[in-house]
Each structure stands twice: as structure tokens, then as C-alpha cells.
Amino acid sequence: MNRRAILPYIFAFSGAVLLVFAFSRMRHLILPEGSTSSVAPFFTKNNQYCKWVFSHYEASPYEASWFASIETTQSNICEAVAKPEHRNASEIIVTRTLELTSLPASWKWETYDTFNTTSFHSSDSFMSRMHYNRTCYDSKTETFNLAKGKGIQLIEPLWGMLRDPFDHWCGDKALHMEGQADPSGQSKAHIMPQGFAPYTYTDSSTPPTPEESRQQEWRTHGLPPWHSSLRPSSDPRVGVAFQPPQNIHLDLGSSYFKVWGSDRGAASGQWFYDTYHARGQPFSRFIAVEVETLNDTTAFQQIPDDLVGVYTLMNVGLTMEEGDKLNTVDMIKRVVKPEDFFVFKLDIDSAPIEEPIVKSLLEDNPDEGGASALIDELMFEHHVNYSPMNGPWHNPQGVGGLHRSYNVFRDLRRRGIRAHSWP
């Protein structure tokens, strides 16, 4: 949700409602022209403010087929991915994802529903789905209540090695696709970030069947209404006010912004900048955490001009020790509000530190202040023990195999987190 493009503030004065729309940064996408949805996603006819909340995760049939076999196929995962049916599916999925993510730099989404609608793409049948419900605010009870409105957004399925299947890790068994080669082994061609993931929504009170959803109008890119929301708060001077959200990024295991020595694959800041910030959704805060000693001058020379003052480098290691001021989850709770759009990258190449963070997210109560309710998008490289990744990951012990990664990512998605396997 572009909370900066249209920022409604609602003040209640003696039963009257004043709607003030702050149209900041109202620059529209250059191509194609935007269109207006027939569904009013944010307000009812009675001017109730509405937001969208996560409902449930739906694995695609293709993802389900991998779950059914992964415990046995993980010992020969390269051979399994190379089977003709999986080779074909991998090519369809990666081709579609690259088609969605390979856009001219001038294409931005600064308002909701920027792109025109289009029909359902046949390749999207392989993708899994995040489902959402619409809720509307009752100023008398100061609560959000379920209302008419159902939404769906696609996400890449969990399949194969949970990495780009055309990376080189399988050696002579590796798949090959024309024009798709990343010698670093850190291809992100399998990842479908939110702004690049097709979505649809209606004012129906019941979720559409898979066949019905194929008949709906879809938008291939842009801000869905569940991107973020306004935060209601009571003020004795004016009644109820709705405060705008922020876009926040935490990169845990950041290294430098662009390149570390000659290794561009080790630096992820530029990818997040290009994928979110430069697409019309600038970060209010960009927090980079790196335990390895960095040169401050080099670090800040690499960031773009418009991140100066926004970018924070924490050149220390975070922990999961209770009561520690550097506790990762506690810091997230201090910085992020539920209404914000928060994208979190977790890749510190240390299972003993990563595992407690993810365990906390899977065990907390999102309805009682749990950090899992704060994360919209997660990029996580889950270091487990299976061939061929046990070599570059130095045979991590006591963390399980690839089948455990499947379960972890599925369970994170079931909590409403768009969880992606980071390379």
C-alpha cells in the first residue's frame, strides 16, 4: 500500500467525520497508465476506513507435489530437479518470474493499483497464493471488524532446492536455460517480491475458487491494498487520528552496500534499493547490520545520495539473548509498527544465530505483540545439511535437511510473511 501517495487522516469531531487526504508524491507510473478499481479498497460508503489483513496461505498443486516427496528426494535433489517434468516446470516458473521482475527502471508504483488489469496468466498456476481479508474500523469500539472483500497475491512456489534451479550448484547435473546464468551461484531469479507479484481482489464475502480466480482481473505489478495500512490512535483534542506508515528495511548480514572487494554477490543493499526504494516506495529507514569490520568511509561512499540520513550501519553483531540491548527481535519491535511495510533479510551464515530468530518468529503470538506480525517480506538463507549445499555451508550440524527448510518456509508463509529462500 503506498501510504505516502494517499495518506488519509480521519478526525472525529462531535460525531462528524472530516476526511483529509494528503496527496504527497502523487507521481504516477510512466507506463502503462493507471486505472481505477471497481472495488473501493480503503473506505466504505459510510466513510469507514478499511485495511486488509492476512487470511491464509495456499500452496500450489506443484508445491504440494514437492512436499509429498521431499523427504526421499532430498538425498538426490539434483537428479530429482533434472527430471523432465521438473525441468519443464522450473523453466516455466523462472521464465515467468524474470518476466515480472525485469522491468525498465522508469517503471514505478507510487500509488495503489497503478497498473491496468489483465487476465490470468497460465504460468501462474504453478505459483502459490497468499490470501487476505478486508476489515473496517469502528470508531465507537476502536476495533477493526471483518467486512466484505477478499484478496489474493501470488508468490513463487517452494520447489526443488529452494534456489534458482539454473544456478551451478548441481555441477554436471545442473539445469541450463538460454540467457539464464549466474556464475556467483547467488541468482535471485526465483524470487517474486511483493511489488512484482500479480494480485487481485474483489468485494466478495467468500474467497473465490481457483477456477473463479482465473476469471478475475489481475494486476501484474504495483501496490496491493494489503501492502501497509494507517494506524488509528485516540487523541483527546481531535478524537481518532490515522497516522501514516513507514517503509523499513533491516539487512542482517549486510556487508557493504554494493560490493565487498570484488564480490558483488556478497553485498545485497543495491538489490533491495532497486527492488523497493527505487520503484517508488522509498525506505524511511534502511538498517544494515554486519558483524565483520567494515570501513565507514567505504560503506557510506557506496550508498546512493537519497539514502544519506536514512541508512544506518550497525557494525556489530546482534543477539537473541534475553535482556540484551542488541536482541534482534526486541530491536524489530522497537523500530517497526504493525501498519508499516517491513522487509527483513536474514543471512549471517551462522545457523546458531539464525535458528533462534526464526524459532522465535514461528512460536510467538502475532495477536499479542509477536514480531512475526511485523514482517511483511522475509529473505532468508536457511543453512541446513544436504548435498550439494553442505559444501559451501560447511556441513552445518543439528539443523536438519532440505525437508526442514520446506517446513520452515511454509510455516512462515502461514503466518502471513512473504518468506523467500535467499541465495
Side-chain angles (χ1 to χ4, degrees), residues 18 49 84 97 101 113 120 137 251 268 294 357-358 402 405 407:
L18 172 64
Y49 171 68
T97 303
T101 56
D113 296 341
F120 185 80
Y137 188 70
D251 188 340
S268 56
L294 304 182
I357 296 173
V358 174
L402 182 58
S405 278
N407 291 328

Side-chain angles (χ1 to χ4, degrees), residues 53-58 129-133 151-153 207-208:
V53 297
F54 175 72
S55 170
H56 63 280
Y57 175 64
E58 178 188 2
R129 300 177 171 206
M130 309 286 285
H131 289 257
Y132 301 87
N133 291 329
I152 300 171
Q153 188 161 31

Side-chain angles (χ1 to χ4, degrees), residues 29-48:
L29 177 71
I30 297 175
L31 287 172
E33 293 183 357
S35 64
T36 302
S37 171
S38 60
V39 182
F42 305 120
F43 290 94
T44 66
K45 294 179 180 179
N46 298 323
N47 284 330
Q48 280 183 294

Side-chain angles (χ1 to χ4, degrees), residues 329 333 338 360 363-374 415:
V329 171
K333 291 180 180 180
S360 173
E363 293 180 353
D364 70 18
N365 187 334
D367 296 324
E368 296 184 1
S372 63
L374 305 175
R415 291 195 152 228

Side-chain angles (χ1 to χ4, degrees), residues 69-87:
S69 63
I70 191 59
E71 285 203 48
T72 55
T73 58
Q74 65 180 345
S75 59
N76 295 290
I77 191 65
C78 291
E79 289 82 352
V81 173
K83 290 181 178 180
E85 64 271 25
H86 294 311
R87 177 190 296 268

Side-chain angles (χ1 to χ4, degrees), residues 274-350:
D274 293 341
T275 302
Y276 299 95
H277 188 98
R279 289 295 179 184
Q281 284 303 291
F283 290 117
S284 306
R285 298 196 66 176
F286 192 116
I287 305 170
V289 181
E290 176 57 55
V291 69
E292 298 291 335
T293 302
L294 304 182
N295 180 282
D296 288 348
T297 301
T298 301
F300 281 89
Q301 282 176 341
Q302 292 191 14
I303 67 170
D305 293 352
D306 59 356
L307 282 189
V308 175
V310 173
Y311 179 88
T312 300
L313 174 62
M314 297 179 62
N315 205 178
V316 296
L318 298 186
T319 75
M320 280 299 289
E321 295 179 19
E322 188 174 349
D324 191 331
K325 66 181 179 182
L326 294 176
N327 180 287
T328 304
V329 171
D330 289 346
M331 188 185 79
I332 290 172
K333 291 180 180 180
R334 283 194 297 271
V335 172
V336 184
K337 299 293 187 292
E339 296 79 14
D340 295 331
F341 178 76
F342 176 45
V343 56
F344 177 27
K345 193 209 87 178
L346 176 58
D347 181 15
I348 50 180
D349 296 333
S350 176

